[in-house]
Amino acid sequence: MKGQRLLVSVWLGVLLLASGCVNSGNPSIVDQDRISQIKLNTSTKEDVRRILGKPKSMSRHSGYYSPLPGLPPSPALTNVEVWNYTHINVDVNAANFIIGLFADGATSDINTFTAVFDEQGIVRHIASTKSEGRSGLGARQEWKPID
């Protein structure tokens, strides 16, 4: 009887330790109050860095871009800088993961935020995405975008 209680206690302890949540990236991008402070055609690189912090990645591109949404592309070659931010949240449910033979082992929320700046450092394009998914054999590893 004592051996069974010890085994159950140890098993429950392992489940509790294995359950949990893992976050990675910049949690500021899921805060809509912060995101709403970034204004298209008004905010600058300095504004975005103050509001969201340092981007996960930055890149530069050249092309023929529209100065404003809905207008035709500029005839002159334009340089833009793209800042990308990400935040990933993984929630591990150890009870389902172990007992359910890997069924519904974890759920994930992935958020991205992208700001595109013109040569003067003004925000000219903003994109934000959120997707969620489940991992495990029972989940069929489906990913779906969130509106």
Side-chain angles (χ1 to χ4, degrees), residues 45 49 55 58-61 79-83 115-119 122:
K45 289 181 187 180
R49 188 178 295 271
M58 295 188 304
S59 58
R60 290 193 168 96
H61 306 274
N79 297 312
V80 297
E81 188 169 324
V82 181
W83 290 10
V116 179
F117 303 92
D118 66 10
E119 292 172 321
I122 305 296

Side-chain angles (χ1 to χ4, degrees), residues 53-103:
K54 182 180 176 185
K56 180 172 180 60
S57 66
M58 295 188 304
S59 58
R60 290 193 168 96
H61 306 274
S62 295
Y64 299 96
Y65 299 98
S66 172
L68 295 170
L71 294 179
S74 169
L77 187 65
T78 304
N79 297 312
V80 297
E81 188 169 324
V82 181
W83 290 10
N84 295 299
Y85 295 84
T86 59
H87 181 259
I88 300 171
N89 179 46
V90 179
D91 186 12
V92 179
N93 185 336
N96 284 344
F97 185 77
I98 295 170
I99 296 168
L101 296 175
F102 304 101

Side-chain angles (χ1 to χ4, degrees), residues 1 11 15 30 57 63 67 71 74 87 90 97 103 107 116 129 135 140 142 146:
M1 187 64 123
W11 185 243
L15 286 176
V30 296
S57 66
L71 294 179
S74 169
H87 181 259
V90 179
F97 185 77
T107 57
V116 179
T129 64
S135 66
R140 290 182 251 150
E142 297 174 6
I146 303 297

Side-chain angles (χ1 to χ4, degrees), residues 102-115:
F102 304 101
D104 298 331
T107 57
S108 303
D109 292 319
I110 301 171
N111 296 277
T112 65
F113 180 83
T114 302

